[in-house]
Amino acid sequence: MAKEHNKNSERPVAEKGEHIIARHLIDDDAIKEEKNLVIDGVDVSGRWNTFIETRVDSEFDRSFFDEIQKTVVGSRINRCWQCGMCTASCTVTPLYRRFNPRAFIYMMQLGNLKLLKKYTDVAWRCVGCYKCSQRCPKQVNPAEMMEALALLIKKYFPEEIKSKHQLTIDEEVKVIYEGMILGHGRLDLANLHTSAMRKMGKTTELMSDKDERGAIFKMMKDGRALSVLRLGKPHKWHKSKDAIDNYLRHTGTLEQENN
Amino acid sequence: MAENILVIGGGPAGLHAAIELAELGVNVSLVERDTFFGGNPKKFKYKYLFPDLQPAENVIGELIKGAESNNNIKKYLSANIESFKEDGKKFSAVIKSSTGSETKTFDSVIVATGFEHFDPAKDSKYSYQLFDDVIDIKDLERMMGEGNFTRPSNGKPPKNVAIILCVGSRDRHVGNQYCSRVCCTVSVKQAIELKEHFPETEVYIFYMDIRTYGFYEDLYWKAMEEHDVQIVKGRVAEITSGPDNTVICKGEDTLLRGPFEIPFDMVVLASGMEGGPQSPEMADKLGIELDEHGFLKQANVTLSPFKSNKDGIFLAGACTGPKAIADAIVEGGAAAMDAYIYAKKNS
Ligand code: SF4
Ligand code: SF4
Ligand code: SF4
């Protein structure tokens, strides 16, 4: 029991939910408990007002599904039948088991935001190798679904993302992104990812064996890194490049110094 | 005067159709491209048939005997239809075989050209033909037919075997979106046979759905309850080489939510069925339609499944879609009736 005392009484006050037997079975979020609460003159502070939210899902929220389906990257969400071939082939999953494209897609299909919220720390880990999309028998394009996921996580849990992962570098990512597109005609998400990590100052993580560097070594070893390089630029890229360049300049999106 | 009916394809459907028609007194011409009758079950030496595990020879051997001993059936082996044209309500065909070319007129035609086993080499993720111990259901069927249940790489009994369902079926990448209908049942049947031969071998089936429809479900229950076959939910996405002469199956256990990479002594790919090159060839030659899956198109899948889109040309067996041998035989009989009625009306 915590030593803290309630101002109004001499009873010792417990940590939230401390008195619950088998406390480890219940998520923090699911326990509602007011430290100081008086109802009709009766002191029901602490354990006397403990409330545990139901752990049974009581609805499938389809509005979330609809929202994702309307996006370009998420339009094929209705195709996924949960076979798991994306997760099985994913570059990132062996490093972060909690990053599971199939499971994320399922959570998105059922609009289970409560569950998705628990993965805000890993949900944006996709390195864009597109292996999953190559394997997916339904052509869901799970790689792009992961993009849809990242966007939605950002929209629905901005606080989580800010507080937990300091993802406040929109502008910088934009610069890297444009440089990549205009320079190579392709988006190399692995590159984007590492650049962003560097900008965030997460260099230790970037260089640690089991995290990013592990992934990079793995990709070099099985030839994926090489195959990305071999892709080269799209056909007649200089023409498209000029057109995109013009457009971005016209809309004022492209800054002068990016030339 | 007796009717003349052409039956193209000497597998279970074609054989049964020919025998039924011959029993009615029809003059049947049975044309088979191979050097033998019996179709894929014969070609790949199927051993036992589901659901009752009776020897395939009981069924296929009987059909072949029935056709061979019937004098109303004129048999053409190593043969094909060289040319084909309509002639009023009748058809004129040139049959080319080892004994030369023959031009004949027919009152109606039954196409029973069957299917081809999907070639797993077409889908590189399964490393078929790369590793000796990665085989497919037709390979295992043939091996078992020859009494051989051991690992192809070293001839030893496998410690563990992975059976991977839906290879070449239900996959946009390989272009086959349909379910091949029989591979689930064949796979649980093979799992039982493996376990009966090597009770110590662990057998795992990797599945997304197990479609042992109708009474075929009995085999699925039997595999689990009498032989401890373990099922794992998740489609395998890659097969690579493993330590100590094993092959690694990489997939996701979608129930436990997480990837696995498990070494196996032997992997059996449940490759599905395809329309094969003969289907477009027949469509082209006979002027009938092909469906979007690469099989021959039925006039109406529910009401007239044995009719093609052309009057007088009928369809039977796996040439219209994946199906079990029992269903192919049923269809042979049904198409025979349709073809007989048409011939009777117009001769
Ligand atoms: S694109 Fe992303 S989700 Fe897909 S395999 Fe690569 S890392 Fe995994
Ligand atoms: S591979 Fe495709 S269909 Fe299978 S779980 Fe992943 S996204 Fe869904
Ligand atoms: S029968 Fe079973 S293994 Fe074959 S395609 Fe259908 S679901 Fe897959």
Side-chain angles (χ1 to χ4, degrees):
Chain A
M1 285 239 171
K3 292 282 165 295
E4 190 189 338
H5 281 244
N6 190 319
K7 276 194 212 93
N8 305 325
S9 76
E10 288 310 305
R11 278 196 287 112
V13 174
E15 290 293 323
K16 184 173 104 171
E18 197 180 300
H19 63 281
I20 298 172
I21 301 166
R23 169 67 184 81
H24 62 287
L25 294 179
I26 299 161
D27 274 356
D28 231 27
D29 280 2
I31 303 170
K32 304 285 171 229
E33 189 178 294
E34 293 291 332
K35 255 186 186 162
N36 302 305
L37 187 67
V38 178
I39 297 174
D40 292 341
V42 181
D43 184 356
V44 288
S45 296
R47 62 179 297 176
W48 300 101
N49 71 60
T50 304
F51 175 74
I52 301 171
E53 276 185 355
T54 175
R55 277 159 287 170
V56 178
D57 294 329
S58 51
E59 74 166 346
F60 294 141
D61 182 358
R62 223 36 186 176
S63 62
F64 195 66
F65 175 97
D66 295 337
E67 185 177 346
I68 290 177
Q69 202 174 24
K70 281 196 199 94
T71 64
V72 177
V73 281
S75 61
R76 288 168 164 184
I77 186 169
N78 58 354
R79 287 187 171 191
C80 176
W81 59 12
Q82 294 294 306
C83 64
M85 284 174 107
C86 48
T87 300
S89 56
C90 180
T91 309
V92 174
T93 314
L95 301 160
Y96 305 99
R97 209 178 150 96
R98 289 171 62 244
F99 179 87
N100 186 325
R102 178 203 50 81
F104 290 154
I105 293 171
Y106 193 46
M107 292 172 202
M108 290 196 274
Q109 282 179 332
L110 298 181
N112 197 332
L113 286 175
K114 219 157 108 192
L115 205 52
L116 272 174
K117 191 176 174 187
K118 292 186 183 162
Y119 296 91
T120 50
D121 59 329
V122 287
W124 51 278
R125 286 282 186 179
C126 168
V127 295
C129 64
Y130 278 74
K131 253 190 103 180
C132 53
S133 294
Q134 203 186 351
R135 291 279 183 263
C136 171
K138 292 274 267 155
Q139 291 180 354
V140 171
N141 203 344
E144 292 188 354
M145 289 297 303
M146 291 306 100
E147 231 173 293
L149 171 69
L151 291 175
L152 276 145
I153 291 263
K154 208 173 139 198
K155 176 177 164 192
Y156 282 94
F157 311 115
E159 289 313 310
E160 295 277 314
I161 288 172
K162 271 203 193 106
S163 63
K164 276 198 196 151
H165 326 295
Q166 309 100 42
L167 276 186
T168 51
I169 48 149
D170 279 10
E171 275 313 303
E172 288 172 273
V173 170
K174 199 179 121 220
V175 171
I176 302 168
Y177 182 92
E178 282 169 1
M180 214 177 279
I181 288 285
L182 288 178
H184 308 285
R186 283 187 199 281
L187 188 59
D188 177 353
L189 282 182
N191 193 349
L192 182 67
H193 183 68
T194 39
S195 307
M197 299 267 289
R198 217 172 275 127
K199 293 261 179 192
M200 279 187 286
K202 292 202 169 184
T203 37
T204 342
E205 200 175 320
L206 194 61
M207 294 317 288
S208 87
D209 258 349
K210 70 172 195 322
D211 294 335
E212 306 310 314
R213 211 174 57 165
I216 292 164
F217 277 155
K218 214 175 155 138
M219 283 176 77
M220 304 259 263
K221 234 173 81 187
D222 65 14
R224 252 173 292 156
L226 212 71
S227 66
V228 170
L229 289 178
R230 233 186 282 121
L231 275 177
K233 288 178 187 170
H235 192 52
K236 291 191 181 154
W237 173 242
H238 61 283
K239 282 196 183 149
S240 319
K241 180 181 188 303
D242 289 347
I244 295 176
D245 211 280
N246 265 340
Y247 175 77
L248 291 179
R249 222 171 290 283
H250 176 73
T251 55
T253 313
L254 193 67
E255 312 290 342
Q256 264 340 80
E257 69 266 21
N258 280 345
N259 278 349
Chain B
M1 209 187 90
E3 297 76 17
N4 288 296
I5 295 179
L6 170 64
V7 177
I8 309 172
L15 287 170
H16 187 61
I19 295 166
E20 300 268 277
L21 289 169
E23 292 286 322
L24 287 166
V26 173
N27 288 325
V28 180
S29 294
L30 179 60
V31 176
E32 167 58 47
R33 64 175 171 173
D34 273 319
T35 53
F36 51 86
F37 289 118
N40 280 323
K42 188 81 185 169
K43 187 169 172 183
F44 294 100
K45 300 186 179 147
Y46 295 0
K47 193 183 182 200
Y48 293 113
L49 302 185
F50 63 76
D52 53 358
L53 303 186
Q54 67 173 305
E57 194 50 31
N58 276 7
V59 175
I60 308 301
E62 279 307 301
L63 286 171
I64 296 173
K65 235 190 279 162
E68 277 175 350
S69 61
N70 198 312
N71 291 330
N72 283 352
I73 304 174
K74 169 98 180 147
K75 282 138 306 235
Y76 298 89
L77 284 169
S78 309
N80 61 17
I81 305 297
E82 202 166 43
S83 74
F84 185 89
K85 60 177 194 291
E86 283 162 82
D87 184 0
K89 294 229 175 214
K90 296 181 194 286
F91 305 93
S92 160
V94 180
I95 302 168
K96 196 183 163 203
S97 68
S98 46
T99 55
S101 288
E102 220 177 294
T103 308
K104 281 184 155 185
T105 303
F106 296 102
D107 299 305
S108 58
V109 179
I110 293 174
V111 183
T113 46
F115 72 98
E116 296 281 307
H117 285 285
F118 173 78
D119 175 8
K122 283 197 243 169
D123 192 350
S124 60
K125 60 179 171 276
Y126 296 117
S127 304
Y128 183 72
Q129 285 178 350
L130 209 60
F131 306 123
D132 291 343
D133 292 324
V134 178
I135 58 175
D136 83 345
I137 44 176
K138 68 168 183 319
D139 301 332
L140 181 60
E141 201 60 40
R142 177 166 41 199
M143 283 164 57
M144 295 191 306
E146 291 160 358
N148 172 19
F149 292 75
T150 57
R151 301 178 64 189
S153 67
N154 60 11
K156 290 187 182 145
K159 281 191 291 296
N160 59 3
V161 176
I163 296 178
I164 298 171
L165 300 185
C166 300
V167 172
S169 306
R170 310 175 73 198
D171 190 332
R172 275 202 169 92
H173 283 292
V174 300
N176 296 339
Q177 296 189 22
Y178 52 86
C179 162
S180 290
R181 286 176 77 179
V182 299
C183 9
C184 273
T185 313
V186 172
S187 293
V188 290
K189 181 204 72 140
Q190 292 185 339
I192 293 170
E193 290 177 74
L194 270 168
K195 288 294 281 191
E196 277 174 348
H197 201 84
F198 293 129
E200 299 304 316
T201 299
E202 292 172 15
V203 179
Y204 298 85
I205 298 179
F206 294 94
Y207 72 103
M208 175 169 64
D209 310 281
I210 293 193
R211 294 181 166 171
T212 46
Y213 58 105
F215 296 154
Y216 299 158
E217 185 81 358
D218 293 348
L219 281 182
Y220 174 18
W221 288 40
K222 184 175 161 144
M224 291 183 77
E225 295 178 9
E226 288 174 30
H227 298 282
D228 299 339
V229 169
Q230 179 62 47
I231 59 170
V232 180
K233 191 166 175 71
R235 264 175 101 159
V236 167
E238 269 168 45
I239 295 177
T240 52
S241 69
D244 307 322
N245 190 28
T246 55
V247 277
I248 291 182
C249 288
K250 193 173 167 193
E252 192 208 350
D253 182 328
T254 60
L255 296 179
L256 283 182
R257 220 199 262 169
F260 60 76
E261 293 179 15
I262 297 172
F264 284 94
D265 275 358
M266 197 159 109
V267 175
V268 185
L269 308 172
S271 43
M273 292 175 154
E274 284 189 326
Q278 69 269 32
S279 295
E281 205 179 290
M282 275 298 130
D284 201 38
K285 214 167 255 177
L286 273 54
I288 56 180
E289 271 179 60
L290 208 63
D291 72 8
E292 74 268 31
H293 301 296
F295 290 85
L296 294 173
K297 190 171 177 165
Q298 297 156 307
N300 180 321
V301 287
T302 313
L303 190 62
S304 45
F306 312 116
K307 290 190 172 133
S308 72
N309 63 306
K310 192 171 252 180
D311 286 345
I313 300 181
F314 301 90
L315 311 168
C319 67
T320 58
K323 57 187 57 100
I325 293 171
D327 298 327
I329 292 173
V330 168
E331 292 198 357
M337 179 53 90
D338 278 359
Y340 183 66
I341 293 170
Y342 185 90
K344 203 88 192 145
K345 276 187 183 161
N346 296 305
S347 62

